[in-house]
Amino acid sequence: MEYIMPGIIAAVLILSAVRRKNAYGAFINGAGSGLSMIKSIFPALLCIMTASSMLRASGALGLITRLLSPLADAAGIPADVLPIALLRPVSGGGSIGLLADILNTYGADSFTGKAASVIMGSTETTLYCISVYYAKTRAKSTGKILAIALTCDAAAAVGAVWAVRLFCGA
């Protein structure tokens, strides 16, 4: 396992030498392109990360969870996994932190742990992806895309819980 990365690097260098390509020049050009892309998407990333931190730190996530708990209960979704379903479209890192808390509290083999894990795997960091894409393409109209994407995330979260209930029992 420890030889995979050196092996890949060696293979790239050998292939570059065989094809008579400038590996160093290609690396420098690629790094420059990557840095210019980071420069163009950084403001959107900073906004999303700030919003995610504020959502957790302000207690707004807990308030929204309490407000939506009756609706989640009616849909068969445990209130304990609702914060992941709400935070996942905003922040991958924040939702991973919530998942770790759930797994530490309930265990990986519990219904809540399984449901939270499947939600993490079946949903996307929607706002992050949209902000990066639209920052790079400079497109202006995100309303319909955002509504559709968030609806898909909600359907995926509900479907994840139902799938765990159906296939793993609860």
Side-chain angles (χ1 to χ4, degrees), residues 65-167:
T65 300
R66 283 191 299 277
L67 291 173
L68 292 177
S69 287
L71 183 62
D73 287 339
I77 299 172
D80 297 323
V81 300
L82 199 53
I84 285 183
L86 294 171
L87 191 60
R88 178 71 172 155
V90 180
S91 169
S95 56
I96 287 173
L98 289 175
L99 176 64
D101 291 343
I102 287 174
L103 295 178
N104 285 332
T105 303
Y106 297 98
D109 290 331
S110 68
F111 173 74
T112 303
K114 289 176 185 176
S117 298
V118 176
I119 287 173
M120 286 292 293
S122 61
T123 56
E124 182 57 74
T125 52
T126 303
L127 297 178
Y128 169 80
C129 291
I130 288 175
S131 67
V132 169
Y133 175 76
Y134 279 97
K136 185 65 179 162
T137 62
R138 303 281 187 227
K140 301 290 184 232
S141 176
T142 61
K144 290 180 182 176
I145 296 296
L146 183 61
I148 291 167
L150 291 176
T151 301
C152 290
D153 277 334
V158 170
V161 173
W162 289 355
V164 169
R165 192 176 308 281
L166 178 66
F167 295 109

Side-chain angles (χ1 to χ4, degrees), residues 41-54 90 131:
I41 66 172
F42 182 73
L45 293 176
L46 182 63
C47 179
I48 290 296
M49 287 188 279
T50 303
S52 169
S53 296
M54 289 173 60
V90 180
S131 67

Side-chain angles (χ1 to χ4, degrees), residues 1-9:
M1 191 62 122
E2 62 198 54
Y3 299 110
I4 291 176
M5 284 308 293
I8 290 172
I9 292 169

Side-chain angles (χ1 to χ4, degrees), residues 3-62:
Y3 299 110
I4 291 176
M5 284 308 293
I8 290 172
I9 292 169
V12 167
L13 292 175
I14 292 168
L15 189 61
S16 296
V18 168
R19 293 187 177 181
R20 300 189 194 285
K21 300 289 182 177
N22 182 359
Y24 179 75
F27 175 80
I28 296 299
N29 289 337
S33 298
L35 287 175
S36 67
M37 183 175 68
I38 288 172
K39 181 183 170 193
S40 69
I41 66 172
F42 182 73
L45 293 176
L46 182 63
C47 179
I48 290 296
M49 287 188 279
T50 303
S52 169
S53 296
M54 289 173 60
L55 188 63
R56 286 187 75 188
S58 69
L61 186 62

